[in-house]
Coordinates of all heavy atoms in Angstrom, one line a residue:
M18 N 52.4 11.8 47.9 CA 53.2 10.6 47.5 C 54.4 10.3 48.4 O 54.7 9.3 48.8 CB 53.7 10.9 46.0 CG 54.4 9.6 45.5 SD 53.2 8.2 45.1 CE 54.2 7.0 44.5
A19 N 55.1 11.5 48.7 CA 56.2 11.3 49.6 C 55.8 10.9 51.0 O 56.4 10.0 51.6 CB 56.8 12.8 49.8
A20 N 54.6 11.2 51.4 CA 54.1 10.7 52.7 C 53.9 9.3 52.7 O 54.2 8.6 53.7 CB 52.8 11.6 53.1
V21 N 53.3 8.7 51.6 CA 53.2 7.3 51.4 C 54.4 6.6 51.5 O 54.7 5.5 52.3 CB 52.4 6.9 50.0 CG1 52.4 5.5 49.9 CG2 51.1 7.6 50.1
V22 N 55.5 7.2 50.8 CA 56.8 6.4 50.8 C 57.3 6.4 52.1 O 58.0 5.5 52.6 CB 57.7 7.1 49.8 CG1 59.2 6.6 50.0 CG2 57.2 6.9 48.4
K23 N 57.2 7.6 52.8 CA 57.8 7.8 54.1 C 57.2 6.9 55.1 O 57.9 6.2 56.1 CB 57.6 9.2 54.6 CG 58.5 9.6 55.8 CD 58.4 11.1 56.0 CE 59.5 11.6 57.1 NZ 59.4 13.0 57.3
E24 N 55.8 6.6 55.0 CA 55.0 5.9 55.9 C 55.3 4.3 55.8 O 55.5 3.6 56.6 CB 53.6 6.1 55.8 CG 52.7 5.3 56.9 CD 51.4 6.0 57.0 OE1 51.2 7.1 56.5 OE2 50.6 5.4 57.7
Y25 N 55.3 3.8 54.4 CA 55.5 2.5 54.2 C 57.0 2.1 53.8 O 57.2 0.8 53.8 CB 54.5 2.1 53.0 CG 53.1 2.2 53.4 CD1 52.3 3.4 53.0 CD2 52.5 1.3 54.2 CE1 51.0 3.5 53.4 CE2 51.1 1.5 54.7 CZ 50.4 2.5 54.2 OH 49.1 2.6 54.6
G26 N 57.8 3.0 53.5 CA 59.2 2.6 53.2 C 59.8 1.8 54.2 O 60.5 0.9 53.9
G27 N 59.7 2.3 55.5 CA 60.2 1.6 56.6 C 59.9 0.2 56.8 O 60.6 -0.8 56.9
A28 N 58.5 0.0 56.5 CA 58.0 -1.4 56.5 C 58.6 -2.3 55.4 O 58.9 -3.5 55.7 CB 56.3 -1.3 56.4
V29 N 58.6 -1.7 54.3 CA 59.2 -2.5 53.2 C 60.6 -2.9 53.4 O 60.9 -4.0 53.2 CB 59.1 -1.8 51.8 CG1 59.9 -2.4 50.8 CG2 57.6 -1.5 51.4
L30 N 61.4 -1.9 53.8 CA 62.8 -2.1 54.1 C 62.9 -3.2 55.2 O 63.8 -4.0 55.2 CB 63.5 -0.8 54.6 CG 63.8 0.2 53.6 CD1 64.4 1.5 54.1 CD2 64.8 -0.5 52.6
A31 N 62.1 -3.0 56.3 CA 62.1 -4.0 57.4 C 61.7 -5.5 56.9 O 62.4 -6.4 57.3 CB 61.2 -3.7 58.4
A32 N 60.7 -5.5 56.0 CA 60.4 -6.9 55.5 C 61.4 -7.5 54.6 O 62.0 -8.7 54.8 CB 59.2 -6.7 54.6
V33 N 62.1 -6.7 53.7 CA 63.2 -7.1 52.8 C 64.4 -7.5 53.7 O 64.9 -8.5 53.5 CB 63.6 -5.9 51.9 CG1 64.8 -6.4 51.1 CG2 62.5 -5.7 51.0
G34 N 64.7 -6.6 54.7 CA 65.8 -7.0 55.6 C 65.6 -8.2 56.4 O 66.5 -9.1 56.5
G35 N 64.4 -8.5 56.8 CA 64.1 -9.6 57.6 C 64.2 -10.9 56.7 O 64.8 -11.9 57.2
V36 N 63.7 -10.8 55.5 CA 63.9 -11.9 54.6 C 65.3 -12.3 54.3 O 65.8 -13.4 54.3 CB 63.1 -11.6 53.2 CG1 63.5 -12.7 52.2 CG2 61.6 -11.5 53.5
V37 N 66.1 -11.2 54.0 CA 67.5 -11.4 53.7 C 68.2 -12.0 54.8 O 69.0 -12.9 54.8 CB 68.1 -10.0 53.3 CG1 69.7 -10.2 53.2 CG2 67.6 -9.6 52.0
F38 N 68.0 -11.5 56.0 CA 68.5 -12.0 57.3 C 68.2 -13.4 57.5 O 69.0 -14.3 57.8 CB 68.2 -11.1 58.4 CG 68.5 -11.7 59.8 CD1 69.9 -11.7 60.3 CD2 67.8 -12.4 60.7 CE1 70.4 -12.1 61.3 CE2 68.1 -13.0 61.8 CZ 69.4 -12.7 62.2
L39 N 66.9 -13.9 57.4 CA 66.6 -15.2 57.6 C 67.1 -16.1 56.5 O 67.4 -17.2 56.8 CB 65.0 -15.3 57.7 CG 64.3 -14.7 58.8 CD1 62.8 -14.8 58.7 CD2 64.7 -15.4 60.1
G40 N 67.2 -15.6 55.3 CA 67.7 -16.4 54.3 C 69.2 -16.7 54.5 O 69.7 -17.8 54.3
T41 N 69.9 -15.7 54.9 CA 71.3 -15.9 55.1 C 71.5 -16.8 56.3 O 72.4 -17.6 56.3 CB 72.0 -14.5 55.4 OG1 71.7 -13.6 54.3 CG2 73.4 -14.6 55.7
L42 N 70.8 -16.5 57.4 CA 70.8 -17.4 58.5 C 70.7 -18.8 58.2 O 71.2 -19.9 58.6 CB 69.9 -16.9 59.7 CG 70.0 -17.7 61.0 CD1 71.5 -17.5 61.6 CD2 69.0 -17.2 61.9
G43 N 69.6 -19.0 57.5 CA 69.1 -20.4 57.0 C 70.1 -21.1 56.2 O 70.5 -22.3 56.4
Q44 N 70.7 -20.3 55.2 CA 71.7 -20.8 54.3 C 73.0 -21.3 55.2 O 73.6 -22.3 55.0 CB 72.2 -19.7 53.3 CG 71.5 -19.9 52.1 CD 72.1 -19.1 51.0 OE1 72.9 -18.1 51.3 NE2 72.0 -19.5 49.7
F45 N 73.2 -20.5 56.2 CA 74.5 -20.7 57.0 C 74.2 -22.0 57.8 O 75.1 -23.0 57.9 CB 74.7 -19.6 58.0 CG 75.8 -19.9 59.0 CD1 77.1 -19.9 58.7 CD2 75.5 -20.1 60.3 CE1 78.1 -20.3 59.6 CE2 76.4 -20.5 61.2 CZ 77.6 -20.4 60.9
L46 N 73.2 -22.2 58.3 CA 72.8 -23.3 59.1 C 72.7 -24.6 58.4 O 73.2 -25.6 58.7 CB 71.5 -23.1 59.9 CG 71.5 -22.1 61.0 CD1 70.1 -21.8 61.5 CD2 72.5 -22.4 62.1
L47 N 72.0 -24.5 57.1 CA 71.9 -25.6 56.2 C 73.3 -25.9 55.6 O 73.5 -27.2 55.4 CB 70.9 -25.3 55.2 CG 69.4 -25.3 55.7 CD1 68.5 -24.7 54.6 CD2 68.9 -26.6 56.1
S48 N 74.1 -25.0 55.3 CA 75.3 -25.4 54.5 C 76.2 -26.1 55.6 O 77.1 -26.9 55.1 CB 76.0 -24.0 54.1 OG 76.4 -23.3 55.2
R49 N 76.2 -25.9 56.8 CA 76.9 -26.6 57.8 C 76.6 -28.0 57.7 O 77.6 -28.9 58.1 CB 76.7 -26.0 59.2 CG 77.3 -24.6 59.3 CD 77.1 -24.2 60.8 NE 77.7 -25.3 61.7 CZ 78.4 -24.9 62.8 NH1 78.4 -23.7 63.1 NH2 78.8 -25.8 63.5
Q50 N 75.5 -28.4 57.4 CA 75.1 -29.8 57.3 C 75.1 -30.5 55.9 O 74.7 -31.6 55.6 CB 73.6 -30.0 57.9 CG 73.6 -29.6 59.4 CD 72.3 -29.3 59.8 OE1 71.3 -29.5 59.1 NE2 72.1 -28.9 61.0
G51 N 75.4 -29.5 54.9 CA 75.4 -29.9 53.5 C 74.1 -30.0 52.8 O 73.8 -30.6 51.7
L52 N 73.1 -29.5 53.6 CA 71.6 -29.7 53.1 C 71.4 -28.7 52.0 O 70.6 -29.0 51.2 CB 70.6 -29.6 54.3 CG 70.7 -30.7 55.3 CD1 69.7 -30.5 56.4 CD2 70.4 -32.1 54.6
I53 N 72.0 -27.5 52.2 CA 71.7 -26.4 51.2 C 71.9 -26.9 49.8 O 71.2 -26.5 48.9 CB 72.3 -25.0 51.5 CG1 71.9 -23.9 50.8 CG2 74.0 -25.3 51.3 CD1 70.5 -23.6 51.2
M54 N 73.0 -27.7 49.6 CA 73.4 -28.1 48.2 C 72.2 -29.1 47.7 O 71.9 -29.0 46.6 CB 74.6 -28.8 48.2 CG 75.8 -27.9 48.6 SD 75.9 -26.3 47.8 CE 76.3 -26.9 46.0
Q55 N 71.7 -30.0 48.6 CA 70.7 -30.9 48.2 C 69.5 -30.1 47.8 O 68.7 -30.4 46.9 CB 70.4 -31.8 49.4 CG 71.6 -32.8 49.6 CD 71.3 -33.6 50.8 OE1 70.2 -33.8 51.1 NE2 72.3 -34.2 51.3
M56 N 69.2 -29.0 48.5 CA 67.9 -28.2 48.4 C 68.1 -27.5 47.0 O 67.1 -27.4 46.4 CB 67.7 -27.3 49.6 CG 67.4 -28.0 50.8 SD 67.1 -26.8 52.2 CE 65.3 -26.5 51.9
I57 N 69.3 -26.9 46.8 CA 69.4 -26.3 45.5 C 69.3 -27.3 44.4 O 68.7 -26.9 43.3 CB 70.8 -25.6 45.5 CG1 70.8 -24.4 46.4 CG2 71.2 -25.2 44.1 CD1 72.4 -23.9 46.5
E58 N 69.7 -28.4 44.5 CA 69.5 -29.5 43.4 C 68.1 -29.7 43.2 O 67.6 -29.8 42.1 CB 70.3 -30.8 43.8 CG 71.8 -30.7 43.5 CD 72.3 -32.1 43.8 OE1 71.6 -33.1 44.0 OE2 73.6 -32.1 43.7
V59 N 67.4 -29.9 44.3 CA 65.9 -30.1 44.2 C 65.2 -29.0 43.5 O 64.4 -29.2 42.5 CB 65.3 -30.3 45.6 CG1 63.7 -30.3 45.5 CG2 65.8 -31.6 46.1
W60 N 65.6 -27.8 43.9 CA 65.0 -26.6 43.3 C 65.3 -26.4 41.8 O 64.5 -26.2 41.0 CB 65.3 -25.2 44.0 CG 64.8 -25.1 45.4 CD1 63.6 -25.6 45.8 CD2 65.4 -24.5 46.4 NE1 63.5 -25.3 47.2 CE2 64.6 -24.6 47.6 CE3 66.6 -23.7 46.6 CZ2 64.8 -24.1 48.8 CZ3 66.9 -23.3 47.8 CH2 66.0 -23.4 49.0
G61 N 66.6 -26.8 41.4 CA 67.0 -26.8 40.1 C 66.3 -27.8 39.2 O 66.2 -27.6 38.0
N62 N 65.8 -29.0 39.9 CA 65.1 -29.9 39.1 C 63.7 -29.7 39.0 O 62.8 -30.6 38.8 CB 65.5 -31.2 39.7 CG 66.9 -31.7 39.5 OD1 67.5 -31.3 38.5 ND2 67.4 -32.5 40.4
G63 N 63.1 -28.5 39.6 CA 61.8 -28.2 39.3 C 61.1 -28.2 40.6 O 59.8 -28.5 40.7
G64 N 61.6 -28.1 41.9 CA 61.0 -28.2 43.1 C 60.8 -29.5 43.7 O 61.4 -30.4 43.3
C65 N 59.9 -29.5 44.6 CA 59.7 -30.9 45.4 C 59.3 -32.1 44.5 O 58.1 -32.4 44.6 CB 58.7 -30.6 46.5 SG 59.2 -29.4 47.7

């Protein structure tokens, strides 16, 4: 079991880290244009 965690733990952390990084970067870029607030409104109203 420990071997499985050791082998795949890094991949999981890398995937989560990548998602968080891209999400933060995307939020930063979108918020500069005020688009993130519009997108949050759309998501809040049930998506596209």
Side-chain angles (χ1 to χ4, degrees):
M18 187 64 181
V21 173
V22 172
K23 195 169 187 179
E24 184 159 351
Y25 294 104
V29 171
L30 284 175
V33 172
V36 169
V37 170
F38 174 74
L39 289 175
T41 303
L42 184 63
Q44 267 195 334
F45 172 72
L46 292 174
L47 288 171
S48 67
R49 291 185 53 147
Q50 300 163 3
L52 293 177
I53 192 70
M54 299 309 293
Q55 293 176 15
M56 295 181 82
I57 288 175
E58 278 186 9
V59 170
W60 291 331
N62 291 333
C65 298

